[in-house]
Amino acid sequence: EVQLVESGGGLVQSGGSLRLSCAASGFTLSTFWMTWVRQAPGKGLEWVASINQGGSEKYYVDSVKGRFTVSRDNAKNSLYLQMNDLTEDDTAVYYCARPRYLQFGHFDTWGQGTPVTVSS
Amino acid sequence: EIVLTQSPGTLSLSPGERATLSCRASQSVTNNYLAWYQQKPGQAPRLLIYGTSSRATGIPDRFSGSGSGTDFTLTVSRLEPEDFAVYYCQHYGNSPPYTFGQGTKLEIK
């Protein structure tokens, strides 16, 4: 079964850091671009970051550039999001997502999400 | 960067009725790279439509997508009780950034 499982979320103070992980199973992670999407409480979906298969290309939404770093370890079938200098605006459920096979940009596989709460 | 505007914000309909959801882009969407997702409370989004009009695996044929240029539509031909949810459109170019609309809530009348 194809599955993504996020972990690492929690409560952190403003200015703090968290590292999110996304464990992939049922497929070969190295075949796919991977993406992080977040959803603030009661709000819509926001694309956060994407990384190509080998990790050489990374893209970020403007609001997290310089603070968040997306990475991957294909040997461990894992995706990561290092989040530094967190603010209350980063409070959200963070999802990792995978596109359809050999496709890009639209996501047919999602994790259950991991909540991040940033307090002042 | 393309901005997507969905309308209406909330749509109140009864089971069995037809639902028409709109997504308007701030500039023309190339290659019809427009997707639709359904999200229920406490759940991750579910891909319904990609490439403007192709249904994802396992999606019932009562869901259909159409459009071109800047105007796109998701239609649910006959609403089932499980279809009441929030729907998002998404633009995906050849590379990021990817953008989502703000969502349309489809609620039971």
Side-chain angles (χ1 to χ4, degrees), chain A residues 2-51:
Chain A
V2 172
Q3 196 171 14
L4 296 170
V5 178
E6 302 95 337
S7 60
L11 176 63
V12 62
Q13 285 195 324
S14 184
S17 298
L18 277 178
R19 188 195 195 207
L20 306 184
S21 299
C22 172
S25 59
F27 67 99
T28 303
L29 188 71
S30 60
T31 307
F32 295 85
W33 276 78
M34 293 297 293
T35 288
W36 288 96
V37 174
R38 68 184 178 183
Q39 187 168 36
K43 303 296 184 182
L45 303 170
E46 180 183 37
W47 168 76
V48 174
S50 295
I51 184 170

Side-chain angles (χ1 to χ4, degrees), chain A residues 14-87:
Chain A
S14 184
S17 298
L18 277 178
R19 188 195 195 207
L20 306 184
S21 299
C22 172
S25 59
F27 67 99
T28 303
L29 188 71
S30 60
T31 307
F32 295 85
W33 276 78
M34 293 297 293
T35 288
W36 288 96
V37 174
R38 68 184 178 183
Q39 187 168 36
K43 303 296 184 182
L45 303 170
E46 180 183 37
W47 168 76
V48 174
S50 295
I51 184 170
N52 73 336
Q53 290 90 333
S56 61
E57 294 183 55
K58 302 177 183 182
Y59 297 85
Y60 301 93
V61 67
D62 285 347
S63 61
V64 310
K65 284 180 182 175
R67 301 188 299 120
F68 289 14
T69 302
V70 60
S71 63
R72 63 194 297 160
D73 185 335
N74 289 333
K76 294 183 177 179
N77 254 15
S78 292
L79 173 73
Y80 305 102
L81 186 66
Q82 177 67 43
M83 306 187 296
N84 298 331
D85 194 20
L86 286 160
T87 74

